[in-house]
């Protein structure tokens, strides 16, 4: 039959090869995540600029994941009813609005009756999170355009788009927030446009999202519908998480994934507060550090994880990665005071030590995440793969909501080092959970 590939799976878009459709979706998702990544080094310090302490700033970080958790099933259902393309366009438009609000928060806040723009940041972050729930729609789009035997490869491509967005986003933020760029923009732009290390990255993210909206409107097609979104309502997702954790098949793995996501999100949310308080780093300097960590994670996930898995297996890698993070997360705050580490030119010894500890931390995080996802897949039945990954996604979103909030409270109420030490300790039960799994439940039995 014309229009069918060798598997009998219809062409996703009449007259458009599947590879081109996949490439188009990859580009759209990558640019969308690029805007998100640009704001990563900005958000914590932007909150402090408006007078928020680390706890309130951490709540701002957590707001995104909370609304993403709520928004994903809603956007998923709407994409079943209205189509994938309209919902993806709607979510990108929401990003344009959210990042624009970030840029004008200082000017808009007083107009809303607030003393400053902090309330605007929370509103924008909530909108961005709700629209960030489009991951459900993007996953459903992949299911629509790929036959079952190629679906894992398609979802992996989508994961690569996410990873690249997190690598290049902070790098762009560092460039546009540099003193050279800010000085140039102050000379070029009208005085009415606020030009700071916080507003310029926000406007850059908004402009990229606007360009992405135009691109998606022109080139992103509506696919033939082959699969419905697997996202359930929020209440059902919470029930499913509870059932999954108590399941003898993947319960320990889902719980381990939740704890790992909780711990690493606690680290991520306080990292910029730490470098700002202890090293005086602003947006540009933090962007360099975050880009370095992101590149390391991308290298491991993109090139090293395959050979490592072939040699050691997912089980050993997951335990090793979790054990590495127990130590490195706890060392992060104390490394800044390591006087025995030499400075490298203009880079002071504390920053060098921080980068040195962050290197094995990034390695451990990368191998743990990939190995846990692989083990969930290995322990789920063929016809429940989508549901299993949906559970880990829900667990991750929930963990990234709770983790930053509790970490910020620890930072303020106890000491700057406490959230990092606690994050490291949270990986101890992850190691115990994984070690307690019978190996035959993790690695398929040999033929």
């Amino acid at each position: 039959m014309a229009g069918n590939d060798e598997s009998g799976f219809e062409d996703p878009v009449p007259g458009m090869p599947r590879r081109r459709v996949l490439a188009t979706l990859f580009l759209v998702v990558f640019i969308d995540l690029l805007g998100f990544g640009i704001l990563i080094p900005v958000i914590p310090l932007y909150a402090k600029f408006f007078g928020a302490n680390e706890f309130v700033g951490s709540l701002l970080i957590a707001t995104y994941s909370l609304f993403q958790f709520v928004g994903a099933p809603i956007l998923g259902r709407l994409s079943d009813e209205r189509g994938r393309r309209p919902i993806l366009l709607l979510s990108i438009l929401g990003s344009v609005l959210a990042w624009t609000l970030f840029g004008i928060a200082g000017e808009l806040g007083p107009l809303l009756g607030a003393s400053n723009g902090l309330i605007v940041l929370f509103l924008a972050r909530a909108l961005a999170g709700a629209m960030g729930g489009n991951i459900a729609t993007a996953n459903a789009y992949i299911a629509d355009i790929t036959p079952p035997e190629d679906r894992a490869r398609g979802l992996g491509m989508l994961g690569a788009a996410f990873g690249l967005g997190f690598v290049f986003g902070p790098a762009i933020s560092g460039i546009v927030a540099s003193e050279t760029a800010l000085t140039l923009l102050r000379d070029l732009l009208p005085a009415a446009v606020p030009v700071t290390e916080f507003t310029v990255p926000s406007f850059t993210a908004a402009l990229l999202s606007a360009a992405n909206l135009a691109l998606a409107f022109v080139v992103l097609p509506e696919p033939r519908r082959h699969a419905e979104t697997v996202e359930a309502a929020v209440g059902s997702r919470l029930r499913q998480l509870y059932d999954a954790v108590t399941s003898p098949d993947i319960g320990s793995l889902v719980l381990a994934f939740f704890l790992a996501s909780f711990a690493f999100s606690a680290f991520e949310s306080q990292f910029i507060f730490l470098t700002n308080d202890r090293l005086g780093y602003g947006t540009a300097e933090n962007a360099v550090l975050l880009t370095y960590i992101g590149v390391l994670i991308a290298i491991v996930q993109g090139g090293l994880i395959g050979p490592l898995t072939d040699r050691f297996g997912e089980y050993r890698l997951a335990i090793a990665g979790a054990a590495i993070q127990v130590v490195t997360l706890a060392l992060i705050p104390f490394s800044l005071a390591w006087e025995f580490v030499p400075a490298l030119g203009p880079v002071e010894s504390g920053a060098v030590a921080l980068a040195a500890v962050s290197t094995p931390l990034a390695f451990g995080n990368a191998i743990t995440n990939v190995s846990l996802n692989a083990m969930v897949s290995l322990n789920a039945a063929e016809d429940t793969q989508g549901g299993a990954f949906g559970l880990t996604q829900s667990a991750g979103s929930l963990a990234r909501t709770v983790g930053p909030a509790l970490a910020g409270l620890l930072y303020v109420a106890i000491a700057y080092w406490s959230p990092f030490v606690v994050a490291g300790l949270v990986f101890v039960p992850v190691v115990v959970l994984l070690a307690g799994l019978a190996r035959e439940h993790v690695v398929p039995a040999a033929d």
Side-chain angles (χ1 to χ4, degrees):
M1 175 179 176
N4 282 28
D5 62 16
E6 295 177 356
S7 67
F9 199 79
E10 289 183 289
D11 289 338
V13 178
M16 192 172 183
R18 179 174 297 110
R19 183 174 297 179
R20 183 178 170 189
V21 180
L22 279 167
T24 301
L25 181 64
F26 175 89
L27 183 60
V28 168
V29 172
F30 167 65
I31 298 176
D32 189 37
L33 268 292
L34 199 61
F36 176 87
I38 288 173
L39 273 295
I40 291 176
V42 173
I43 292 168
L45 303 185
Y46 207 177
K48 290 187 72 174
F49 174 77
F50 287 125
N53 63 15
E54 288 80 4
F55 175 60
V56 175
S58 299
L59 291 180
L60 179 63
I61 295 170
T63 298
Y64 182 94
S65 295
L66 174 62
F67 279 83
Q68 185 183 49
F69 185 79
V70 174
I74 297 173
L75 292 182
R77 285 198 305 273
L78 285 175
S79 76
D80 288 337
E81 298 170 3
R82 306 294 182 181
R84 314 301 186 205
R85 181 176 183 271
I87 300 307
L88 286 171
L89 292 175
L90 173 66
S91 65
I92 296 171
L93 175 62
S95 296
V96 175
L97 296 176
W99 307 145
T100 302
L101 287 175
F102 262 86
I104 60 174
E107 287 68 31
L108 192 58
L111 297 179
L112 298 178
S115 59
N116 58 41
L118 187 60
I119 184 66
V120 180
L121 293 187
F122 271 95
L123 292 173
R125 190 73 173 158
L127 174 61
M131 295 298 100
N134 62 10
I135 179 59
T137 305
N139 283 334
Y141 198 115
I142 290 291
D144 288 340
I145 65 177
T146 56
E149 63 270 17
D150 291 337
R151 197 149 299 153
R153 184 178 301 175
L155 293 173
M157 180 212 69
L158 200 62
F162 275 68
L164 290 172
F166 290 133
V167 169
F168 289 103
I172 293 173
S173 184
I175 293 171
V176 300
S178 66
E179 278 302 318
T180 302
L182 295 179
T183 300
L184 178 63
L185 290 173
R186 289 189 185 105
D187 292 338
L188 294 176
L189 295 176
V193 178
V195 177
T196 71
E197 64 176 304
F198 311 122
T199 60
V200 173
S202 303
F203 291 139
T204 302
L207 287 172
L208 276 173
S209 295
N212 195 31
L213 179 62
L215 173 70
F217 183 81
V218 172
V219 303
L220 187 68
E222 175 67 26
R224 284 193 174 103
R225 194 74 51 81
H226 291 289
E228 292 191 348
T229 309
V230 297
E231 291 283 350
V234 172
S236 300
R237 293 168 82 199
L238 291 172
R239 179 65 189 180
Q240 289 171 352
L241 278 175
Y242 173 79
D243 291 341
V245 169
T246 57
S247 163
D249 296 325
I250 62 171
S252 295
L253 292 172
V254 173
L255 181 57
F257 192 91
F258 173 85
L259 292 173
S261 300
F262 173 93
F264 201 76
S265 69
F267 154 74
E268 287 178 313
S269 65
Q270 305 309 302
F271 182 81
I272 293 176
F273 291 130
L274 177 73
T275 58
N276 179 250
D277 291 342
R278 298 288 150 178
L279 298 176
Y281 278 8
T283 300
E285 296 89 348
N286 278 307
V288 173
L289 279 171
L290 291 173
T291 301
Y292 172 71
I293 294 173
V295 168
L296 289 175
I297 292 175
I299 289 173
V300 175
Q301 292 183 336
L304 298 180
I305 193 67
L308 287 172
T309 302
D310 291 340
R311 179 164 184 177
F312 300 105
E314 293 86 356
Y315 176 72
R316 291 189 183 93
L317 283 183
I319 293 179
I324 289 171
Q325 290 176 93
V326 171
V327 178
T328 52
L329 281 171
L331 287 177
I332 282 288
F334 305 110
S335 66
L336 300 177
W338 289 352
E339 296 181 356
F340 59 86
V341 176
L344 291 178
V347 183
E348 58 191 294
S349 62
V352 175
L354 180 62
V357 176
S358 297
T359 300
L361 172 61
F363 176 81
N365 176 259
I367 63 175
T368 300
N369 283 345
V370 175
S371 299
L372 279 175
N373 274 310
M375 288 191 293
V376 168
S377 178
L378 289 170
N379 282 271
E382 280 297 319
D383 58 350
T384 62
Q385 292 286 312
F389 283 120
L391 286 170
T392 58
Q393 180 186 320
S394 297
S397 294
L398 200 59
R400 288 188 295 272
T401 299
V402 181
L406 291 181
L409 183 61
L410 289 171
Y411 196 107
V412 172
I414 299 179
Y416 73 92
W417 50 263
S418 59
F420 302 95
V421 172
V422 169
L425 291 174
V426 168
F427 267 101
V428 173
V430 175
V431 174
V432 173
L433 281 169
L434 295 175
L437 289 172
R439 189 172 180 184
E440 61 267 24
H441 290 162
V442 181
V443 180
D447 293 332

